[in-house]
Amino acid sequence: MKRKFTVNGMSCARCSAAVERAALSVNGVKTANVNLAGKYLICEYEDPASDALILKAIKKAGYKPSLDSIGENDRSVPKLIVSAVLTLILMYICMGAMIGLPLPQIISHGENYINNAIVQMILALAVMMINFRIFAKGIGSIFHLASNMDTLVSLGCLASFIYSAVCTVLMITSQYEPNGIYFDSSAMILVFVSTGRMLEGKSKRKTNATLASLHELKPTYARVIKNEEEIQVKPELVRVGDTVIIRPGESIPVDGIIISGETETDESALTGESAPVSKSVNDRVCASTVNISGAIYVKAEKVGDDTAFAEIVALVESASASKAPIARLADKAANIFVPCVTAVSVLTFIVWMLVGNISTALVHAVSVLVISCPCALGLATPLAVTVAVGACAKKGILIKSAAVLEILHKCNTVCLDKTGTITKGTPSVTDVLCADGVTEEQLIETASSAEKMSTHPISNAILRYAGVHESLPCESFENIPGKGIRAVMDKKTVIGGTRALLQENGIDFSELDEKCRQLESVGKSVIFFAQDGCLLGAVACADEIRETSAESIRSMRENGIDVYILTGDGVGAAESVARKVGASGVFARLMPNEKQNIVSRLMSDGKTVLMVGDGINDAPALTDADVGMAIGAGTDVALTSADVVLAKNDLSDVLAAVDISRKAFSIIKQNLFWALFYNVICIPLAAGAFSFAGITLSPAIASVAMSISSIFVVTNSLRLRKATK
């Protein structure tokens, strides 16, 4: 089972790593992934009793976990306002006289400098108490060996305050006035950091807007028919098998089958496609889609967290929380960054003590601590991943993990299944060829009776062609992947499938072979049928190419992606489709393992392969490819094997997914570059390496620069929202 925990108090990559370690320390927890942007943790474990242990472990690590989705509220805003007002007063008292502003005589810088220092200390202490949670997390993390950006801020503030407090005590006891006190720096650091976090939090909430909008689409009630009465209940109280009535304009609360009524539904929540979809008796409807025109009665098949929509929400959350390899690299960098910065700060203090004085040494040491907070580094990847996964979900492209998103942008080869992927997957019977002595009625009756247990598109085409009739009872049925079917009816064995299947069973089909090859040469699929070793005939079907397939494949090739068709169909049908859509190449008459072998061969040639399919026979190739992508209307096996699901059944979304991934990783690289470049430039500056040229950074200015770097990373990530519309 997977559970989502809201975790408040996280601010950087070191925080997320500490929370993950805490969760993984609980026995039975298999995986733990933090979404820093959304401030939540997703854990996978089996024992529900682990909930309390995970909460306890995270709390012990210094954070505030909960099982609900309530995050930190706006209580931080009033605290920030009070802190800012007190800091402005403090700055006025500290620097007012320098710029000619009047001060009350009792706290003047002249004869009453001791009173001035005491008032500054009281104001600074008040600001520190208001922002006590920063110190609680920062200092507490040291004891858990998981220092983070709050550790750096806490050490910087405390160093400034303690030094200034000692100086103030010296003033009181010996009437000695030191070179300077820095109460204003300790307060300003906290205010600027809190302001930056507030702006950063506001921007991060925008990155989660898609996920929030998905949650808002969840139905709030369901109308269930009980004992011929209509009862309104919460959707989670509906049970499988219940009959639900949905009136026009209402959101559908369950996945199920229409048992009465006709309507049109808006399925944009699932597929991203806004065009209404006609629905009637025996059609399926999904939760969180909207009933547009007519009242319908639906028999519930999936409810609550089992609905397709709930799985989409869980998938988006899980993908947002998962980490791409590049993110794990940034996390490792952040984990060693804080100890290294602390060491640089101590070294800076020692060097300046040797060449200067304690006041100068303190200013530079504190500036190094404050400006080096790894917040920007920690946010560089997860924010962009969250935006990208959300943008894909909005288009009906469901990505199962961030690692998949990273591989997608490298894909330079796409392998496409033909039937149901390039084509509509709903072929129609075009020709019926009968063996000598067999009538069309006999052939179709036998073929349709044998195929009724199969879900293959050609089987459905034969059943539609046969129409309504009494079928022969089927005593046993076997699906032979890539070849056909075998059924026993009235103690007679019927085989339907390819030439290879008939050859394996020693059946002569030569009398129809030439005609069938002519049909295959123009793109038709031919299925042979035999009974008890004797040929009955053959049925030819043609499948329409999807309207978007040719344009989508052309666009892929224009973007430097090779496109190959992998199909179990005959050479003629495969090559005909390949010519029409402009594929780079085609491989026909493939068994499932042969599709997998071709994908493996392309990968061994150094290509990054994306496999797109919809059927059981595509599952091995989908699993083996660098990225497996399933068409949404495909089989459960294909959807399970795939890394990405295209809800709209539209090949244009293949390139859309690759394009979003490319843009996302372009922004991630920009974020990482600027986060690292910022520290490379600013740490020497803060340490006083350029003081010979008169260039220095005070702790207050350092805190402003640190906040700006984080806001830049967040804002840059948000550009993805516009770039992917």
Side-chain angles (χ1 to χ4, degrees):
M1 61 179 287
K2 286 187 178 181
R3 291 294 296 270
K4 178 183 175 185
F5 297 81
T6 296
V7 183
N8 290 325
M10 297 186 295
S11 56
C12 66
R14 291 278 287 177
C15 295
S16 62
V19 170
E20 288 173 356
R21 280 199 303 272
L24 289 170
S25 69
V26 177
N27 288 335
V29 176
K30 297 178 181 177
T31 61
N33 289 301
V34 163
N35 183 308
L36 186 59
K39 294 188 181 299
Y40 62 81
L41 162 75
I42 291 181
C43 287
E44 184 179 1
Y45 51 95
E46 294 181 358
D47 186 1
S50 298
D51 288 352
L53 296 175
I54 293 171
L55 290 169
K56 184 178 179 181
I58 297 172
K59 189 174 182 180
K60 187 177 179 181
Y63 301 89
K64 298 177 182 178
S66 64
L67 271 171
D68 55 39
S69 58
I70 301 173
E72 295 184 50
N73 56 31
D74 289 333
R75 287 180 298 175
S76 60
V77 176
K79 288 183 178 181
L80 176 58
I81 293 173
V82 174
S83 298
V85 170
L86 293 177
T87 301
L88 287 172
I89 297 172
L90 174 57
M91 292 172 63
Y92 183 95
I93 294 172
C94 176
M95 296 181 287
M98 300 179 189
I99 56 177
L101 296 175
L103 279 176
Q105 184 64 28
I106 193 172
I107 56 171
S108 64
H109 281 277
E111 56 190 50
N112 291 313
Y113 66 88
I114 294 178
N115 292 345
N116 183 287
I118 291 173
V119 172
Q120 286 190 48
M121 183 171 65
I122 293 171
L123 289 170
L125 186 60
V127 174
M128 292 171 69
M129 291 178 66
I130 291 171
N131 294 277
F132 177 75
R133 61 189 180 89
I134 292 179
F135 297 98
K137 285 166 34 185
I139 302 303
S141 66
I142 296 176
F143 295 102
H144 293 100
L145 302 178
S147 52
N148 52 39
M149 77 167 284
D150 287 320
T151 304
L152 299 182
V153 172
S154 299
L155 291 176
C157 290
L158 288 173
S160 298
F161 182 84
I162 292 171
Y163 170 78
S164 302
V166 170
C167 290
T168 301
V169 172
L170 290 175
M171 292 181 195
I172 296 171
T173 57
S174 61
Q175 300 297 306
Y176 164 71
E177 184 175 3
N179 291 335
I181 55 178
Y182 301 99
F183 289 119
D184 58 322
S185 292
S186 60
M188 287 172 67
I189 289 169
L190 292 171
V191 170
F192 284 130
V193 168
S194 298
T195 302
R197 285 188 183 175
M198 184 191 71
L199 296 173
E200 180 185 300
K202 185 177 180 181
S203 297
K204 284 195 287 187
R205 282 191 289 274
K206 290 182 180 179
T207 69
N208 294 305
T210 300
L211 187 55
S213 65
L214 285 176
H215 280 288
E216 290 171 1
L217 291 171
K218 288 183 178 179
T220 56
Y221 65 89
R223 303 180 192 275
V224 181
I225 305 299
K226 295 282 189 182
N227 299 322
E228 298 184 357
E229 291 186 9
E230 182 182 308
I231 303 172
Q232 185 169 304
V233 299
K234 292 182 178 179
E236 54 266 29
L237 297 179
V238 180
R239 297 291 177 259
V240 174
D242 283 351
T243 298
V244 181
I245 180 173
I246 304 103
R247 294 190 174 89
E250 293 181 341
S251 183
I252 298 172
V254 298
D255 288 2
I257 297 288
I258 296 177
I259 58 176
S260 177
E262 294 183 352
T263 188
E264 290 183 316
T265 59
D266 177 359
E267 298 187 345
S268 56
L270 289 179
T271 66
E273 180 57 60
S274 58
V277 180
S278 297
K279 299 286 184 178
S280 58
V281 175
N282 292 330
D283 284 337
R284 293 184 179 276
V285 292
C286 294
S288 298
T289 59
V290 179
N291 182 23
I292 298 176
S293 55
I296 52 174
Y297 289 83
V298 174
K299 181 179 179 181
E301 292 190 329
K302 292 184 178 181
V303 298
D305 292 339
D306 293 329
T307 65
F309 182 78
E311 290 175 358
I312 288 173
V313 173
L315 193 63
V316 174
E317 287 181 341
S318 180
S320 297
S322 65
K323 284 185 172 63
I326 195 171
R328 297 190 184 280
L329 182 63
D331 284 352
K332 289 179 181 178
N335 285 336
I336 64 172
F337 189 72
V338 175
C340 289
V341 166
T342 304
V344 170
S345 176
V346 172
L347 181 62
T348 299
F349 183 83
I350 294 172
V351 170
W352 278 104
M353 279 289 291
L354 295 174
V355 301
N357 54 58
I358 188 172
S359 177
T360 304
L362 181 71
V363 168
H364 289 303
V366 171
S367 295
V368 168
L369 287 173
V370 173
I371 205 164
S372 304
C373 293
C375 190
L377 185 62
L379 291 171
T381 299
L383 283 179
V385 167
T386 300
V387 175
V389 169
C392 285
K394 204 168 184 179
K395 291 177 177 288
I397 303 167
L398 308 177
I399 294 176
K400 294 185 179 179
S401 73
V404 172
L405 188 69
E406 179 166 350
I407 299 172
L408 260 177
H409 84 282
K410 303 174 184 176
C411 288
N412 52 24
T413 302
V414 171
C415 293
L416 302 173
D417 171 51
K418 183 179 77 69
T419 304
T421 302
I422 296 175
T423 63
K424 291 181 178 179
T426 53
S428 301
V429 173
T430 58
D431 302 271
V432 178
L433 305 178
C434 299
D436 289 340
V438 179
T439 66
E440 180 175 327
E441 183 179 356
Q442 290 173 325
L443 172 58
I444 295 300
E445 180 184 25
T446 303
S448 61
S449 297
E451 295 282 5
K452 68 182 179 182
M453 300 294 291
S454 173
T455 59
H456 194 281
I458 291 180
S459 301
N460 293 331
I462 293 172
L463 291 173
R464 287 195 302 273
Y465 184 82
V468 180
H469 68 90
E470 289 188 13
S471 60
L472 300 173
C474 189
E475 297 163 18
S476 69
F477 176 85
E478 179 188 1
N479 180 65
I480 306 170
K483 293 184 179 180
I485 57 100
R486 178 183 287 107
V488 177
M489 300 178 299
D490 195 22
K491 298 182 180 181
K492 296 178 181 179
T493 301
V494 176
I495 292 174
T498 62
R499 289 178 177 81
L501 183 60
L502 267 66
Q503 286 172 340
E504 287 178 7
N505 288 272
I507 299 169
D508 181 18
F509 53 86
S510 58
E511 66 175 285
L512 297 178
D513 191 40
E514 186 177 348
K515 291 181 180 179
C516 289
R517 291 188 184 280
Q518 290 174 355
L519 293 174
E520 288 173 337
S521 69
V522 293
K524 295 182 180 181
S525 298
V526 176
I527 303 296
F528 292 89
F529 288 92
Q531 180 174 279
D532 282 346
C534 297
L535 182 69
L536 293 177
V539 176
C541 297
D543 189 5
E544 292 183 54
I545 295 173
R546 293 182 189 273
E547 292 81 358
T548 59
S549 293
E551 177 63 24
S552 300
I553 291 172
R554 183 187 64 78
S555 297
M556 288 183 215
R557 297 193 65 183
E558 287 179 353
N559 279 269
I561 300 173
D562 292 327
V563 181
Y564 296 96
I565 297 176
L566 276 57
T567 179
D569 286 354
V571 175
E575 290 182 346
S576 175
V577 170
R579 285 193 299 271
K580 290 175 182 177
V581 299
S584 308
V586 60
F587 299 89
R589 295 189 181 282
L590 299 178
M591 296 294 292
N593 64 309
E594 291 173 327
K595 286 188 178 183
Q596 182 183 21
N597 291 339
I598 289 173
V599 167
S600 298
R601 191 175 73 204
L602 290 169
M603 291 166 62
S604 65
D605 289 340
K607 299 182 183 295
T608 304
V609 179
L610 188 160
M611 174 69 197
V612 187
D614 74 321
I616 293 174
N617 60 338
D618 298 318
L622 288 170
T623 303
D624 205 44
D626 291 299
V627 177
M629 189 175 284
I631 292 290
T635 64
D636 289 341
V637 175
L639 299 180
T640 302
S641 303
D643 304 302
V644 183
V645 176
L646 304 182
K648 284 194 297 187
N649 305 326
D650 190 339
L651 279 184
S652 63
D653 286 338
V654 175
L655 185 58
V658 174
D659 185 56
I660 290 174
S661 175
R662 287 175 176 176
K663 289 174 179 175
F665 276 85
S666 174
I667 283 182
I668 286 172
K669 290 174 183 177
Q670 293 170 20
N671 287 348
L672 289 173
F673 171 79
W674 286 110
L676 293 170
F677 181 75
Y678 157 85
N679 282 303
V680 168
I681 295 297
C682 291
I683 289 177
L685 193 63
F690 300 98
S691 58
F692 65 90
I695 303 173
T696 59
L697 283 179
S698 70
I701 295 175
S703 65
V704 174
M706 183 271 295
S707 297
I708 289 174
S709 72
S710 296
I711 293 170
F712 168 82
V713 165
V714 173
T715 305
N716 193 42
S717 296
L718 286 175
R719 290 195 304 114
L720 258 177
R721 297 179 72 195
K722 293 182 179 179
T724 55
K725 284 183 178 178

